[in-house]
């Protein structure tokens, strides 16, 4: 003390000034605004770039799940449940309109084809006006044990190669279809092809026991073996006509082609007619141009952003509906588990002692039961009564809350003896108020992070169960990501897009949710409140 006084004695008197009350800074009001708990958490979360990117990806996936099912015409989506014609449009590759001609996501595919298929594509173009061969890359000859043959490497438009199919109509429906195609100048009905069409009547009689495969997919005159016939100039003779002798069929698009000559050795028809007027009228079985028929049936040209699956369903819409189901299901499981686990864990951690020991042993018994066993048992014995989805929900809730209860219990043990809790108890606060007003908010960060991370876990588990076939959520009107992966694995080599898009969705979802959850964990950590990087 004396040394300090001696130090001050050496300071000149003029250096000293009287202090003013106005200069007492500790009495001044703090001018900066206070930052709330959630605002502080948001500021810290916004500094984590990886979490921000992950949050944006999660948001895009959620928007895709919400908006995706509404991106196609309602009558097309409704047809999922009843329309067997959709099978004809299976495994179509992705097509985006503005990318047409680029060779990328434009509905085309590079393939090697032989002469027979090459000629078939050429005459499909002659009859339908849609050219399956977008570009011929090269032609070359190969020799094998059978002989020498020519192969063509071409880029084909898969939407113009959809196989021909047939439909049977009443006379009224048949006439309505003809009226539509004439009004819209759109060829839907193709000339009928049967054994008379393929070769002469004499050849037909001589080969009456011969059955040629692909009866409805013939596009030029051919012999009994299916080989094309040639005219005197060596050209294949196209297998279509514009008008039949009974006027059952007309085509405006092909107007100008020679009509059928009466007395010809080849008897062309435009529909297979059955029934009689005595029995209520004729039935007409017709060959259908699948591309134009799609326009007639659904009101828009076939164009699938993600392609179509092995059932002819649009993958984009199907995946969006499956994603929406998975997200809503996982969110419901997460909320229920948070509610049950938070209450259970709060009671355990706050009271401790015998109550904690008994409740913890109950949790141990339930957690020791394999989740796969629980799911299978619930699916076998409960799904028949309440449905597959409720049974699956019960299975996930049966043991899913235990992890949340454990986290809550640990947080309550951490905070229940803090000074502010003791002060609240001293002032007469009830247990319920202390638990949920003072302790629970400090546990909120851990619980929110745990709840968010439950969502991808539930989706992954549900996807695994449906992929393995333990749970069946697949139907014409509903699907899941796991079901789509399971249905597409058999055609993965020939049509990889059927599996690629569901796999990409689940991969992005898992990675993004985990990064997003890590960001939330740091943001809601009370020990980091007000900390600067």
């Amino acid at each position: 003390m004396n040394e300090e006084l001696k130090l001050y004695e050496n300071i000149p008197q003029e250096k000293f000034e009287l202090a003013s009350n106005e200069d007492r800074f500790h009495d001044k009001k703090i001018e900066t605004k206070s930052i709330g708990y959630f605002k502080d958490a948001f500021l810290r979360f916004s500094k984590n770039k990886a979490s921000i990117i992950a949050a944006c990806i999660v948001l895009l996936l959620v928007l895709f799940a919400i908006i995706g099912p509404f991106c196609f015409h309602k009558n097309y989506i409704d047809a999922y449940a009843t329309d067997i014609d959709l099978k004809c449009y299976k495994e179509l590759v992705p097509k985006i309109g503005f990318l047409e001609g680029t060779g990328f996501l434009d509905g085309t595919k590079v393939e090697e084809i032989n002469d027979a298929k090459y000629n078939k594509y050429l005459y499909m173009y002659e009859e339908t006006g849609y050219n399956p061969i977008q570009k011929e890359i090269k032609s070359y000859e190969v020799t094998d044990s059978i002989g020498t043959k020519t192969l063509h490497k071409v880029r084909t438009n898969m939407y113009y190669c959809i196989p021909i199919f047939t439909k049977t109509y009443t006379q009224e429906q048949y006439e309505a279809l003809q009226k539509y195609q004439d009004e819209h100048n759109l060829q839907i009905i193709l000339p009928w092809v049967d054994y008379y069409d393929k070769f002469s009547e004499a050849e037909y009689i001589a080969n009456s026991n011969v059955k040629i495969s692909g009866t409805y997919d013939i596009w030029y005159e051919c012999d009994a073996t299916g080989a094309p016939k040639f005219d005197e100039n060596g050209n294949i003779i196209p297998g279509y006509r514009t008008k039949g002798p009974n006027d059952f069929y007309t085509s405006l698009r092909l107007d100008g082609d020679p009509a059928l000559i009466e007395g010809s050795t080849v008897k062309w028809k435009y529909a297979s007619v059955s029934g009689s007027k005595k029995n209520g009228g004729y039935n007409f079985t017709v060959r259908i141009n699948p591309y134009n028929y799609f326009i007639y049936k659904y009101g828009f040209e076939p164009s699938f952003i993600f392609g179509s699956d092995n059932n002819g369903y649009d993958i984009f819409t199907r995946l969006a509906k499956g994603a929406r189901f998975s997200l809503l299901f996982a969110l419901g499981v997460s909320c229920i588990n948070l509610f049950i686990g938070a209450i259970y864990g709060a009671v355990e951690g706050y009271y401790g002692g015998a109550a904690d020991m008994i409740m913890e042993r109950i949790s141990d018994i339930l957690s020791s039961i394999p989740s796969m066993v629980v799911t299978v048992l619930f699916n076998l014995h409960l799904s028949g009564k309440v449905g597959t989805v409720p049974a699956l929900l019960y299975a996930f809730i049966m043991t899913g809350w235990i992890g949340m209860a454990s986290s809550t219990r640990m947080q309550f043990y951490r905070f229940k003896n803090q000074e502010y809790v003791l002060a609240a108890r001293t002032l007469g606060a009830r247990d319920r108020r202390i638990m949920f007003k003072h302790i629970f908010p400090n546990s909120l960060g851990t619980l929110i992070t745990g709840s968010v991370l439950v969502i991808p876990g539930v989706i992954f588990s549900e996807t695994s169960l449906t992929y393995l076939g333990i749970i069946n959520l697949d139907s014409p009107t509903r699907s899941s990501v796991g079901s789509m992966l399971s249905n597409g694995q058999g055609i993965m080599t020939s049509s990889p897009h059927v599996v690629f898009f569901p796999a990409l969705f689940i991969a992005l979802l898992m990675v993004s949710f985990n990064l997003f959850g890590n960001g939330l964990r740091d943001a809601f950590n009370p020990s980091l409140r007000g900390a600067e990087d």
Side-chain angles (χ1 to χ4, degrees):
M1 185 69 180
N2 293 330
E3 292 179 357
E4 292 180 359
L5 289 173
K6 289 180 180 180
L7 180 64
Y8 287 123
E9 287 177 357
N10 297 327
I11 300 175
Q13 187 70 27
E14 61 271 12
K15 296 290 184 180
F16 290 93
E17 293 181 6
L18 293 175
S20 172
N21 290 334
E22 296 178 357
D23 295 333
R24 295 181 181 179
F25 295 101
H26 60 277
D27 288 338
K28 285 188 175 181
K29 183 179 180 181
I30 298 175
E31 297 179 356
T32 58
K33 294 182 179 180
S34 61
I35 298 177
Y37 179 77
F38 287 100
K39 185 175 181 180
D40 180 69
F42 174 77
L43 291 175
R44 276 183 279 124
F45 180 81
S46 61
K47 295 176 182 179
N48 191 330
K49 294 181 180 179
S51 297
I52 290 292
I53 295 172
C56 292
I57 295 175
V58 170
L59 179 61
L60 289 175
L61 294 178
V62 171
L63 290 176
F64 166 73
I66 295 173
I67 300 172
F70 304 103
C71 290
F72 273 83
H73 294 238
K74 187 177 183 300
N75 57 343
Y76 171 72
I77 302 301
D78 291 343
Y80 273 14
T82 57
D83 199 342
I84 60 173
D85 296 334
L86 285 175
K87 282 277 189 180
C88 301
Y89 305 96
K90 64 180 182 180
E91 300 175 33
L92 294 176
V93 296
K95 179 182 178 181
I96 302 176
F98 65 86
L99 294 176
E100 189 170 354
T102 63
F104 176 72
L105 298 180
D106 63 345
T108 63
K109 182 180 180 180
V110 175
E111 58 179 348
E112 292 183 347
I113 56 177
N114 55 25
D115 269 335
K117 198 169 187 179
Y118 184 78
N119 288 326
K120 172 187 169 182
Y121 283 166
L122 289 179
Y123 284 92
M124 285 175 69
Y125 177 40
E126 287 286 338
E127 183 169 340
T128 65
Y130 300 121
N131 190 1
I133 302 175
Q134 188 186 69
K135 179 182 179 182
E136 184 169 358
I137 300 173
K138 65 177 180 178
S139 298
Y140 55 94
E141 292 184 347
V142 295
T143 304
D144 53 21
S145 57
I146 301 176
T148 301
K149 58 183 178 181
T150 302
L151 294 179
H152 304 268
K153 187 175 183 179
V154 296
R155 178 174 290 279
T156 55
N157 189 323
M158 304 306 295
Y159 287 77
Y160 297 158
C161 302
I162 303 171
I164 296 299
F165 62 94
T166 62
K167 288 189 70 67
T168 300
Y169 293 103
T170 63
Q171 185 166 351
E172 182 180 355
Q173 292 171 329
Y174 181 69
E175 291 173 353
L177 183 59
Q178 281 205 93
K179 181 180 179 181
Y180 176 89
Q181 70 172 8
D182 290 340
E183 289 177 351
H184 293 80
N185 197 24
L186 193 70
Q187 184 190 35
I188 302 172
I189 305 173
L190 297 175
W192 184 258
V193 177
D194 61 12
Y195 288 111
Y196 282 115
D197 295 333
K198 294 173 189 173
F199 37 86
S200 68
E201 189 171 2
E203 288 175 320
Y204 173 76
I205 295 171
N207 297 278
S208 58
N209 295 324
V210 177
K211 183 173 179 62
I212 301 175
S213 61
T215 303
Y216 306 125
D217 214 15
I218 297 296
W219 298 89
Y220 40 71
E221 292 189 29
C222 58
D223 59 22
T225 64
K229 287 186 174 182
F230 299 91
D231 60 16
E232 60 275 8
N233 297 321
N235 298 319
I236 293 177
I237 305 172
Y240 65 85
R241 293 294 185 271
T242 59
K243 190 174 182 180
N246 49 15
D247 291 333
F248 277 144
Y249 175 80
T250 59
S251 173
L252 294 176
R253 194 192 69 77
L254 298 175
D255 189 26
D257 285 353
L260 178 65
I261 302 174
E262 293 292 345
S264 170
T265 57
V266 180
K267 297 182 179 179
W268 297 90
K269 297 191 297 183
Y270 302 89
S272 176
V273 185
S274 61
S276 64
K277 289 189 175 181
K278 293 181 180 179
N279 297 326
Y282 295 107
N283 287 329
F284 297 84
T285 303
V286 297
R287 290 172 74 224
I288 294 295
N289 180 335
Y291 192 89
N292 290 341
Y293 178 78
F294 193 97
I295 301 172
Y296 164 73
K297 189 70 177 289
Y298 305 116
F300 64 100
E301 294 187 22
S303 180
F304 305 120
I305 298 175
F306 289 173
S308 61
D309 63 12
N310 53 340
N311 290 314
Y313 300 143
D314 169 54
I315 295 176
F316 182 90
T317 308
R318 193 84 164 160
L319 179 59
K321 295 181 76 173
R324 183 171 61 181
F325 166 78
S326 296
L327 288 169
L328 289 175
F329 180 81
L331 184 62
V333 170
S334 177
C335 292
I336 295 172
N337 286 342
L338 174 62
F339 179 76
I340 298 174
I343 295 176
Y344 195 91
V347 173
E348 279 186 299
Y350 184 78
Y351 290 105
D356 179 36
M357 185 178 65
I358 294 172
M359 296 174 74
E360 193 65 13
R361 297 294 77 77
I362 295 173
S363 299
D364 291 341
I365 293 171
L366 291 175
S367 63
S368 64
I369 304 173
S371 58
M372 187 70 72
V373 174
V374 175
T375 304
V376 171
L377 289 176
F378 271 69
N379 185 51
L380 287 176
H381 300 288
L382 193 61
S383 60
K385 299 178 181 178
V386 299
T388 304
V389 176
L392 186 62
L393 181 64
Y394 293 149
F396 274 100
I397 294 172
M398 181 74 179
T399 57
W401 57 269
I402 295 176
M404 193 62 63
S406 178
S407 298
T408 308
R409 173 179 174 269
M410 184 170 57
Q411 293 299 312
F412 268 70
Y413 265 112
R414 178 184 176 186
F415 293 112
K416 73 176 184 178
N417 292 321
Q418 295 291 321
E419 288 80 359
Y420 63 88
V421 175
L422 295 175
R425 187 179 292 115
T426 303
L427 293 172
R430 296 180 179 180
D431 289 345
R432 185 174 62 182
R433 180 177 176 81
I434 295 173
M435 290 167 63
F436 296 104
K437 179 69 175 177
H438 297 287
I439 301 178
F440 190 77
N442 287 288
S443 309
L444 198 60
T446 302
L447 298 181
I448 289 177
T449 303
S451 299
V452 171
L453 293 177
V454 162
I455 294 175
V458 171
I459 293 176
F460 187 77
S461 298
E462 175 260 319
T463 300
S464 301
L465 291 170
T466 51
Y467 177 77
L468 296 173
I470 297 173
I471 299 293
N472 183 19
L473 296 175
D474 198 34
S475 71
T477 56
R478 182 189 66 200
S479 187
S480 69
V481 180
S483 298
M484 296 182 70
L485 290 171
S486 179
N487 293 336
Q489 65 178 345
I491 55 174
M492 191 161 49
T493 55
S494 59
S495 302
H497 66 278
V498 176
V499 174
F500 173 76
F501 290 105
L504 178 64
F505 173 84
I506 196 69
L508 285 175
L509 189 71
M510 296 300 297
V511 174
S512 300
F513 254 114
N514 279 283
L515 291 175
F516 178 59
N518 291 337
L520 285 180
R521 178 196 60 201
D522 295 338
F524 284 105
N525 189 343
S527 63
L528 297 177
R529 186 176 182 186
E532 297 291 339
D533 291 339

